[in-house]
Amino acid sequence: MISEDTICAVSTPSGVGGIAVIRVSGPKAVYITDSVWRGKSLADVKSHTAHFGVLYDPADGSDLDQAVAVVFRAPRSFTGEDVVELSVHGSRWIQRELLNLLVRSGCRIADPGEFTRRAFASGKMDLAEAEAVADVIASSSKASHRVAMAQIRGDLSKRLGNLHDRLLDLASLLELELDFSEEEVEFASRERLVDLAGEVHDVVAGLAASFATGQAIKDGVPVTIAGETNAGKSTLLNALLQEQRAIVSDIHGTTRDAIEDTVEIGGVLFRITDTAGLRETDDPIETLGIELARNKINSARIVLWVIDASADEASLSQRWTEICGYCGNSDTRIIVLINKSDIVPAVRIDVLRDRLASILPESAIVKNISAHTGNGLPELKQILVDASGVNALDEDAVMVTNVRHYAALASAEASSARVLADLKDMISADLIAQDIRETLHHLATITGTI
């Protein structure tokens, strides 16, 4: 994976801006840049220093742009190689011409992700940390940024390193017994080995289980707005997004498709979906929308059950059972919202709340709101943040957000479970050692040590 050529690419987003940064990395990064640079010779400057100069075309001597060059000497750079970062004006033409100039001078246009790949190849970061670079760049909320930064700092890698050491200890003790089996020497009691294997399995299982929350933080906590037609679901979506995203009408069955968008609330990204109203209908298109609504409820972490404050309370029990039946996870939070509370007498709302109290669990949250006027929305937003559980996470909690990491952890969880079970069942040590090696293999694929 280690290349001897020098690469270049634009490191800032495509488009026109005040400044664009072109990165050059490789053994000839300073030499090539110096060949198109008027100013203090970059070959003579210290690492981590910035210098003002002019970029020019040696072929005809014409100036291209004024620029600032920042020099990073190997190995104290992002890629571990000599790196020069050129800050030029953000004109697309300047960016294109500078890349052409560098290529004619001996550079190669970098492949996608090649700078990060070189950082991994040179040992500047492991594979998990390298993958976190993309997550940091793509982070769209405070929570997702925090999780990505924890991974790029190496928090997950350190946790896996500790697991690696424990598994090696376990394997060593078992294999020592194999080496001295004829001597009847016991280097550790089975109880101690079971405890050690149990600790490893619990950590691996915990990391694998964190994937669901990690994915929700990264992609947005899935929230589904559900309820009967004309309950105000689309108005609520528009109010939460603070834009007219969904059509609002008094006509029943207006919403027939799922309308989804994201919004950041309290540092947490939510992926909110408005769905077709739940009711019996002969309309085939609306029926498809209702089926899609059920699927969205099934995949949601939070369900906002919107009830029209003037609705018949007799149907609440059936609707509650229906929504609970659609939920695909026992951990799904259902928040009950009595909407249109601004236009319905308080005594009517009290009747609804009494009826709900008789069918809902004591832990259920029931909130009066008016999606039209905004009454109760600030409190609802805080309820959503609390229900997501993101802000309640320990600052030191390690979250898994990468599908590849989760697959490796799931495999490691299975093999470590076999280790624990075999130790308890007094299975032969050579078979247990093989499962330990398999667990080590799966964990090592995450950081790229194999």
Side-chain angles (χ1 to χ4, degrees):
M1 293 176 64
I2 299 176
S3 301
E4 296 298 327
D5 55 351
T6 299
I7 58 175
C8 63
V10 179
S11 293
T12 42
S14 62
V16 178
I19 295 293
V21 176
I22 283 76
R23 178 183 287 166
V24 186
S25 178
K28 294 184 178 180
V30 175
Y31 170 79
I32 291 174
T33 307
D34 241 347
S35 68
V36 298
W37 174 262
R38 284 199 187 104
K40 187 173 183 179
S41 173
L42 301 180
D44 299 329
V45 302
K46 295 181 179 179
S47 181
H48 294 71
T49 57
H51 305 274
F52 177 78
V54 175
L55 293 164
Y56 77 102
D57 187 344
D60 57 15
S62 60
D63 292 347
L64 176 62
D65 194 19
Q66 295 178 330
V68 173
V70 182
V71 178
F72 303 91
R73 302 284 186 184
R76 297 173 55 213
S77 71
F78 174 71
T79 62
E81 306 171 322
D82 283 347
V83 172
V84 180
E85 293 186 351
L86 297 168
S87 298
V88 298
H89 292 100
S91 157
R92 289 177 177 173
W93 183 84
I94 291 176
Q95 297 177 50
R96 184 173 62 251
E97 288 302 307
L98 178 53
L99 288 177
N100 290 336
L101 186 58
L102 290 169
V103 168
R104 291 198 302 269
S105 301
C107 278
R108 171 176 63 80
I109 298 295
D111 295 328
E114 187 169 1
F115 289 103
T116 304
R117 189 186 70 178
R118 290 191 175 203
F120 166 66
S122 62
K124 301 299 291 185
M125 57 179 67
D126 63 33
L127 190 54
E129 293 165 351
E131 289 169 314
V133 173
D135 289 342
V136 171
I137 295 172
S139 59
S140 53
S141 67
K142 180 180 179 181
S144 61
H145 175 263
R146 185 181 75 184
V147 170
M149 285 300 298
Q151 185 165 320
I152 207 171
R153 284 196 308 266
D155 290 4
L156 175 61
S157 300
K158 292 172 185 174
R159 185 69 61 87
L160 295 175
N162 290 335
L163 285 174
H164 179 272
D165 293 343
R166 290 186 181 185
L167 285 165
L168 278 184
D169 288 343
L170 188 58
S172 300
L173 291 170
L174 283 171
E175 292 177 10
L176 274 172
E177 286 189 14
L178 290 173
D179 288 342
F180 293 91
S181 57
E182 296 181 358
E183 307 295 330
E184 297 185 358
V185 177
E186 185 178 70
F187 292 92
S189 67
R190 279 279 167 148
E191 290 77 11
R192 170 58 186 148
L193 295 177
V194 168
D195 290 342
L196 187 57
E199 292 171 6
V200 171
H201 176 70
D202 289 345
V203 174
V204 172
L207 287 173
S210 74
F211 177 69
T213 302
Q215 276 288 90
I217 293 173
K218 179 179 177 181
D219 299 331
V221 179
V223 178
T224 295
I225 303 175
E228 296 186 349
T229 57
N230 267 22
K233 301 185 299 299
S234 297
T235 304
L236 176 59
L237 174 70
N238 293 339
L240 290 172
L241 298 179
Q242 297 184 331
E243 64 173 289
Q244 294 300 309
R245 183 69 175 80
I247 296 174
V248 176
S249 169
D250 292 334
I251 301 173
H252 287 268
T254 298
T255 301
R256 298 189 172 202
D257 201 355
I259 301 173
E260 182 177 295
D261 212 334
T262 57
V263 62
E264 183 180 354
I265 303 173
V268 181
L269 186 69
F270 291 91
R271 193 170 69 252
I272 304 177
T273 304
D274 177 27
T275 60
L278 302 173
R279 67 168 181 167
E280 297 297 326
T281 178
D282 295 327
D283 188 321
I285 302 301
E286 188 177 354
T287 299
L288 291 174
I290 293 172
E291 183 61 30
L292 181 57
R294 293 167 178 165
N295 293 336
K296 289 295 182 181
I297 294 172
N298 180 269
S299 61
R301 287 173 64 89
I302 301 173
V303 174
L304 300 180
W305 177 22
V306 183
I307 301 172
D308 189 328
S310 61
D312 179 11
E313 68 272 12
S315 64
L316 294 179
S317 179
Q318 178 182 351
R319 188 65 70 201
W320 166 255
T321 302
E322 183 181 9
I323 290 177
C324 287
Y326 295 151
C327 291
N329 194 317
S330 59
D331 295 330
T332 302
R333 293 294 305 275
I334 302 177
I335 300 168
V336 184
L337 303 176
I338 301 177
N339 192 27
K340 305 181 183 180
S341 59
D342 57 318
I343 59 175
V344 175
V347 64
R348 174 62 186 160
I349 295 176
D350 289 341
V351 171
L352 273 180
R353 295 184 73 93
D354 289 343
R355 177 57 179 158
L356 288 168
S358 68
I359 62 176
L360 299 179
E362 292 183 3
S363 60
I365 298 175
V366 180
K367 177 68 182 172
N368 297 347
I369 66 165
S370 171
H372 178 68
T373 66
N375 291 340
L377 287 188
E379 294 85 351
L380 172 58
K381 290 179 180 180
Q382 186 57 52
I383 290 172
L384 282 171
V385 172
D386 294 340
S388 73
V390 173
N391 289 345
L393 294 173
D394 193 327
E395 286 289 334
D396 298 326
V398 177
M399 307 300 299
V400 175
T401 62
N402 187 296
V403 176
R404 188 184 69 82
H405 299 175
Y406 171 71
L409 285 165
S411 297
E413 181 182 0
S415 57
S416 64
R418 290 197 301 271
V419 171
L420 184 58
D422 290 349
L423 281 169
K424 292 179 179 179
D425 294 340
M426 304 297 289
I427 300 297
S428 174
D430 55 342
L431 297 177
I432 300 174
Q434 180 58 37
D435 283 332
I436 294 174
R437 294 292 176 183
E438 183 179 335
T439 306
L440 281 166
H441 168 84
H442 292 309
L443 296 178
T445 61
I446 296 175
T447 54
T449 53
I450 63 167

